[in-house]
Amino acid sequence: MRVVSLVPSLTEAVALTLPGTLVGATDWCVHPADLDVARVGGSKYPDLDRVRALRPDLVLLNVEENRRADADALRAAGVPVRVTYPRTVAGALTELGELLTELGAPTEPPWLRAARRAWADPPALMPARRAVVPVWRRPWVVLGGDTFAGDVLRRLGVVNAYDDHPERYPRPTLADLRARSPELVVLPDEPYRFTADDGPEAFPGVPCALLSGRHLTWYGPSLAEAPALLADQLSRPVRAD
């Protein structure tokens, strides 16, 4: 199999499980660190001519990471594509197992078995905390319902204040965010890079947990260590006065 991945988490999963299978990946595919394959541009705007030139047997895409127009263009050119769309941890683990089997993995890789064990009984905040989860600012964008990251947080004891919103990624005003009276603000470092100096000041007096965006949003080998790492970060919030 010759595989091109336009999804960073799947790039890592395939590279670690089936070395030599990947022939191309996006510029944002930075794991594993020693990955040596052709680069085909960004996830949102890949160079489809480069992708086709690599003669892939399969191109990996994701509903949120990539554009439907690119998937359609590849299909029209006769290039097989696989589009993933996990919205829960359980769904991600299932999709990963099925994909790797399809690509020729003889057995389930150790990291996937470790991820299943880690998420079978993850550490959770006690008591659970009502939170808002910005993923961007200028304008503010937050996690709504039916998202993979939202399910990750729910399993770790975080109750998303926008979980019942009709949009998966609402764009509330800062006033609306504050009006939700969150007990916690969750600030990941991707896609927007929130830091101790950029984010908490918008929520004075409210504990703000700075999280690894990769462990919150990627579905791949990072899932094995995500529960323990994210639980630790959630337990050590910062506060801007």
Side-chain angles (χ1 to χ4, degrees), residues 5 8 55 61-62 142:
S5 173
R55 297 177 291 106
L61 301 97
N62 173 267
V142 300

Side-chain angles (χ1 to χ4, degrees), residues 163-184:
D163 192 55
D164 60 351
H165 197 281
E167 298 178 9
R168 298 180 70 242
Y169 293 96
R171 297 191 175 200
T173 64
L174 180 57
D176 185 54
L177 283 169
R178 292 171 172 169
R180 297 279 173 144
S181 301
E183 300 170 293
L184 181 70

Side-chain angles (χ1 to χ4, degrees), residues 50-115:
R50 287 190 206 171
V51 173
R52 288 190 291 266
L54 291 170
R55 297 177 291 106
D57 298 304
L58 187 67
V59 177
L60 305 179
L61 301 97
N62 173 267
V63 169
E64 293 189 346
E65 292 269 358
N66 312 112
R67 301 183 306 159
R68 174 177 290 186
D70 292 327
D72 290 344
L74 289 168
R75 288 191 183 102
V79 179
V81 303
R82 171 84 175 249
V83 181
T84 60
Y85 190 25
R87 282 162 283 179
T88 64
V89 171
L93 294 172
T94 296
E95 283 201 47
L96 285 165
E98 292 174 349
L99 172 63
L100 295 173
T101 297
E102 179 182 321
L103 295 181
T107 60
E108 195 164 88
W111 63 261
L112 185 51
R113 293 197 296 271

